């Protein structure tokens, strides 16, 4: 069944890019676990494929599916989220400058500052919630703006549409890492972004069982350049990984609905909890960009950040005591996770930068899973003691 833009997200999640296997009618796209393809005569290929680094039918089905979900024409998949990020950076040349959100994912920050800096690409950190700061950081050398929204772990929301007006006026590429929101809640391309990046490891995969990344665009020229770098650098995903992700995208809408529902209830509960100082959740009216979140997103996501009363000792105790919330890095899986950014995911961020971003010792990040919400609330209550 061919799908179009007018079909519901759930219908597209299940059908976009998918067709019954032409040889057997198998409803699921088979795992084409092959590196190469037999040719009829030299250079005369039988189907569309000659070598699996260049393209593979299982990967092609996934790339088409993800592109559709983001409202894009072209999708490319990679071995990890950071591999996808690196491919975008390879669009730049020595002497170019990038404006980078000041609280992007730690691995993104490391890639820009420690790997691409050596190639002569300069990175300037900017608070993407401050449009004047974005405007005044622009100059001729800026070729790329890279942002995340909501950010990690303080869940700041950047106005994609407003920033895209600035990047368009300056002929700068705008790339948005949409990992936290997923295409179910937010479509950066429709808001003016040029490239959407995903760590499919998180919500898109959703089962904490694979590492992967994706890039989606509507621009044929940009797509050709990204595809050329994908082929040349070769950080493509394994075929089994692509199959797992195809299985995951079919339930993305259902999982996201429950992630959001559970997170909204938990955020409200913690907001009134005597042992909690402050809750950051885009769905709460107290969130500084709550109105923007309502406008830009169709739901508020499954991530909650809390400042508990006390310090390092109290937060450590809480993380030792939760039972359903497993103490682990990463996010976006069906199972709930809890982590301490200052010690775990953001340990590599210098202490002064952490302080500036509000990543203190009493800050705890929750990735709310899709378990029964009453059980999750009871778990947090007993852990907060
Ligand atoms: C995890 C993550 C990445 C990196 O993805 P990997 O799949 O771990 O390489 C990039 N951006 C965000 C927002 C992430 O959460």
């Amino acid at each position: 069944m061919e799908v179009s833009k007018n079909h519901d997200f759930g219908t597209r999640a299940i059908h976009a890019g998918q067709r019954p296997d032409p040889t057997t009618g198998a409803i699921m796209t088979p795992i084409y676990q092959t590196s190469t393809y037999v040719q009829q005569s030299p250079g005369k290929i039988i189907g569309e494929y000659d070598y699996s680094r260049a393209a593979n039918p299982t990967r092609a089905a996934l790339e088409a599916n993800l592109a559709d979900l983001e409202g894009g024409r072209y999708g490319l998949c990679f071995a990890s989220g950071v591999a996808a990020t690196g491919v975008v950076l390879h669009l730049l040349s020595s002497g170019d400058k990038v404006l980078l959100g000041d609280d992007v994912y730690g691995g993104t920050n490391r890639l820009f500052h420690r790997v691409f800096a050596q190639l002569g690409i300069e990175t300037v950190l900017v608070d993407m919630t401050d449009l004047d700061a974005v405007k005044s950081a622009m100059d001729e050398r800026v070729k790329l703006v890279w942002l995340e929204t909501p950010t990690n772990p303080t869940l700041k929301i950047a106005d994609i549409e407003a920033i895209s007006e600035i990047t368009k006026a300056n002929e700068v590429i705008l790339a948005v890492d949409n990992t936290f929101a997923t295409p179910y809640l937010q479509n950066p391309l429709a808001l003016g972004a040029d490239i959407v990046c995903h760590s499919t490891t998180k919500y898109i995969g959703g089962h904490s069982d694979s590492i992967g990344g994706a890039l989606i665009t509507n621009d044929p020229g940009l797509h050709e350049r990204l595809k050329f770098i994908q082929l040349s650098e070769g950080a493509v995903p394994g075929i089994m990984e692509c199959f797992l992700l195809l299985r995951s995208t079919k339930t993305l809408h259902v999982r996201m609905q429950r992630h959001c529902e559970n997170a909204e209830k938990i955020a409200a509960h913690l907001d009134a909890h005597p042992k909690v100082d402050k809750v950051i959740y885009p769905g709460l009216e107290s969130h500084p960009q709550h109105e923007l979140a309502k406008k830009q997103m169709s739901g508020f996501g499954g991530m909650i950040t809390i400042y508990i009363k006390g310090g390092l000792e109290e937060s450590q105790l809480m993380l030792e005591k939760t039972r359903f919330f497993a103490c682990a890095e990463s996010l976006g899986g069906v199972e709930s996770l809890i982590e301490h950014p200052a010690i775990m995911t953001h340990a590599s961020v210098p202490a002064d930068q952490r302080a500036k971003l509000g990543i203190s010792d009493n800050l705890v990040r929750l990735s709310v899973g899709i378990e029964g919400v009453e059980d999750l609330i009871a778990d947090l209550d007993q852990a907060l003691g």
Side-chain angles (χ1 to χ4, degrees):
M1 172 70 191
E2 287 289 318
V3 291
S4 76
K5 276 198 176 64
N6 300 328
H7 286 106
D8 181 75
F9 187 95
T11 310
R12 292 187 286 123
I14 292 166
H15 294 287
Q18 316 302 299
R19 64 179 92 93
D21 179 48
T23 54
T24 63
I27 194 158
M28 262 312 281
T29 304
I31 306 164
Y32 285 96
Q33 194 77 47
T34 189
S35 58
T36 192
Y37 307 81
V38 175
Q39 308 194 1
Q40 259 166 6
S41 64
K44 192 168 174 213
I45 59 177
I46 294 171
E48 299 160 46
Y49 302 96
D50 57 6
Y51 188 60
S52 279
R53 169 156 42 74
N56 171 282
T58 314
R59 193 173 98 214
L62 174 65
E63 290 176 336
N65 184 255
L66 290 176
D68 187 281
L69 296 185
E70 277 292 2
R73 286 162 71 191
Y74 310 102
L76 293 168
C77 287
F78 298 89
S80 68
V82 292
T85 309
V87 165
V88 176
L89 276 167
H90 274 299
L91 294 170
L92 307 184
S93 312
S94 176
D96 289 349
K97 203 152 107 178
V98 186
L99 306 186
L100 180 67
D102 63 357
D103 56 355
V104 292
Y105 177 71
T108 304
N109 201 19
R110 180 173 57 202
L111 185 64
F112 280 67
H113 280 103
R114 309 247 324 254
V115 180
F116 280 86
Q118 291 180 342
L119 304 180
I121 292 163
E122 189 190 337
T123 296
V124 177
L125 292 179
V126 178
D127 176 356
M128 294 290 171
T129 63
D130 181 351
L131 293 175
D132 290 333
V134 180
K135 260 184 225 155
S136 60
M138 280 290 169
D139 64 34
E140 271 107 77
R141 280 177 54 217
V142 175
K143 295 288 151 49
L144 173 71
V145 171
W146 183 285
L147 63 87
E148 284 171 22
T149 179
T151 63
N152 175 18
T154 52
L155 305 176
K156 292 196 293 190
I157 312 279
D159 189 335
I160 300 172
E161 199 164 17
I163 292 177
S164 83
E165 281 163 21
I166 303 172
T167 54
K168 282 193 171 75
N170 289 275
E171 291 179 36
V172 167
I173 296 171
L174 174 60
V176 175
D177 181 333
N178 203 27
T179 300
F180 269 43
T182 82
Y184 182 69
L185 300 179
Q186 171 173 283
N187 297 125
L189 295 179
L191 296 167
D194 301 294
I195 300 171
V196 172
C197 174
H198 278 285
S199 167
T200 60
T201 310
K202 315 295 167 51
Y203 286 105
I204 288 180
H207 295 74
S208 311
D209 57 6
S210 74
I211 299 278
L215 296 176
I216 296 114
T217 182
N218 259 322
D219 180 328
L222 208 46
H223 171 67
E224 281 313 313
R225 289 170 69 199
L226 295 168
K227 193 173 159 60
F228 176 76
I229 301 165
Q230 181 196 44
L231 171 74
S232 307
E233 285 200 323
V236 293
I239 311 309
M240 186 65 194
E241 254 57 31
C242 293
F243 173 79
L244 284 171
L245 286 171
L246 271 175
R247 165 183 247 255
S248 290
T249 55
K250 292 181 196 299
T251 57
L252 180 62
H253 54 301
V254 183
R255 287 185 282 113
M256 287 314 292
Q257 278 162 12
R258 182 61 78 85
H259 281 297
C260 291
E261 252 173 60
N262 281 1
E264 276 179 43
K265 286 184 188 148
I266 290 172
H269 179 80
L270 293 175
D271 205 29
H273 200 288
K275 295 277 174 74
V276 176
D277 219 16
K278 189 173 153 199
V279 178
I280 305 177
Y281 183 66
L284 291 177
E285 270 171 34
S286 58
H287 189 286
Q289 294 101 27
H290 175 62
E291 289 306 316
L292 175 59
K294 274 206 294 201
K295 187 175 118 200
Q296 181 166 279
M297 304 170 75
S298 60
F300 304 111
M303 300 301 296
I304 302 174
T305 295
I306 60 174
Y307 290 93
I308 68 164
K309 286 199 175 132
L312 190 58
E313 211 176 305
E314 286 78 5
S315 16
Q316 262 170 333
L317 195 63
M318 178 188 184
L319 270 76
E320 283 164 15
K321 278 167 81 178
T322 51
R323 289 193 287 259
F324 289 123
F325 279 87
C327 176
E329 300 195 0
S330 198
L331 57 110
V334 291
E335 58 287 285
S336 294
L337 300 179
I338 186 166
E339 70 114 1
H340 191 275
I343 300 177
M344 296 167 68
T345 49
H346 291 65
S348 67
V349 178
D352 59 330
Q353 176 76 2
R354 273 208 311 265
K356 214 174 113 196
L357 295 172
I359 306 173
S360 51
D361 284 345
N362 63 334
L363 183 150
V364 171
R365 188 188 80 180
L366 305 175
S367 171
V368 176
I370 63 171
E371 299 97 332
V373 71
E374 295 306 328
D375 295 326
L376 295 180
I377 288 174
D379 191 28
L380 293 170
D381 281 349
Q382 66 78 24
L384 281 163

